[in-house]
Amino acid sequence: EADGGEYTCDTGDQQTTAAVLVKALPVLFKHWLKNEEVEEGRTAVLCCELTKPNVPVEWRKGDTVLQPSDKYEMRQEGTRVELFIYGADAQDV
């Protein structure tokens, strides 16, 4: 439940009210992606970490949005986000 809204302190004889506005912080990278070198046929793993857990992310290769498949697996646990590239091919670069 959101914590923003009106709060009141009431003594019975008097009361005072204030509004609380909670501003959302932007999602930032705590750990950035690092270059990965992998032998052909092996699995490459790209990993980064965000400042907020369970934020929806989109993985892209160039301009192409990647979808889960036999080739690509996306994992997300808390703030950690991973992309697995299975059976890396020289043409995957």
Side-chain angles (χ1 to χ4, degrees):
E1 186 179 327
D3 290 317
E6 281 201 347
Y7 289 83
T8 301
C9 183
D10 193 329
T11 65
D13 294 323
Q14 278 193 314
Q15 63 181 31
T16 181
T17 301
V20 174
L21 175 65
V22 181
K23 288 170 60 177
L25 292 172
V27 179
L28 303 173
F29 286 104
K30 203 167 7 173
H31 296 291
W32 297 71
L33 290 177
K34 291 190 178 139
N35 293 340
E36 180 77 12
E37 192 171 300
V38 64
E39 292 178 0
E40 255 190 329
R42 301 276 184 177
T43 300
V45 182
L46 295 174
C47 176
C48 57
E49 194 168 347
L50 306 171
T51 53
K52 282 186 179 180
N54 306 314
V55 173
V57 300
E58 181 178 85
W59 286 95
R60 290 191 301 266
K61 181 185 177 205
D63 292 332
T64 306
V65 176
L66 301 179
Q67 301 296 334
S69 63
D70 291 343
K71 168 67 77 180
Y72 301 111
E73 181 186 352
M74 296 79 174
R75 291 186 195 168
Q76 192 164 358
E77 192 175 313
T79 57
R80 188 178 170 89
V81 183
E82 295 172 311
L83 173 68
F84 290 77
I85 306 166
Y86 294 109
D89 188 313
Q91 271 137 41
D92 287 335
V93 229

